[in-house]
Amino acid sequence: MTPAPHPQGVLVGKAARLQAGRSVLEPRAGTVNIAGLARLSGAQVDTNESDPRRRQLLSLQGFEPYALDAERLDNLLPVDQTYHAVAMNPP
């Protein structure tokens, strides 16, 4: 996985209209580039990362990442959990 460069992360945040009062999920949070910018915008950010090393990096930065298969998140996340946006680095 290639980390999202900072300008791309800013563009994703603007496209998703991330701001205080909105919730966002980054399904493959990786090295926290998009999730970190989303949090700086004031949004409530949930992260997911299957790689243990990257998940630890997320934890060190104050996130509480899920450790789920991102391809099956719609079936694995709590039923009552909804998001205003899903933001991720395009593959």
Side-chain angles (χ1 to χ4, degrees), residues 11-78:
L11 195 63
V12 168
K14 289 198 177 291
R17 296 182 11 220
L18 300 180
Q19 59 190 10
R22 291 179 60 88
S23 60
V24 62
L25 169 67
E26 187 172 2
R28 292 188 176 181
T31 57
V32 83
N33 291 344
I34 293 174
L37 291 171
R39 184 168 57 187
L40 286 173
S41 75
Q44 169 61 43
V45 183
D46 283 346
T47 57
N48 180 66
E49 180 54 57
S50 58
D51 179 75
R53 185 180 60 81
R54 292 183 186 139
R55 204 168 42 250
Q56 183 178 20
L57 176 64
L58 289 162
S59 295
L60 288 171
Q61 295 184 57
F63 293 96
E64 296 179 16
Y66 293 106
L68 304 171
D69 180 349
E71 292 183 21
R72 294 179 170 65
L73 280 178
D74 59 334
N75 295 321
L76 299 172
L77 289 174

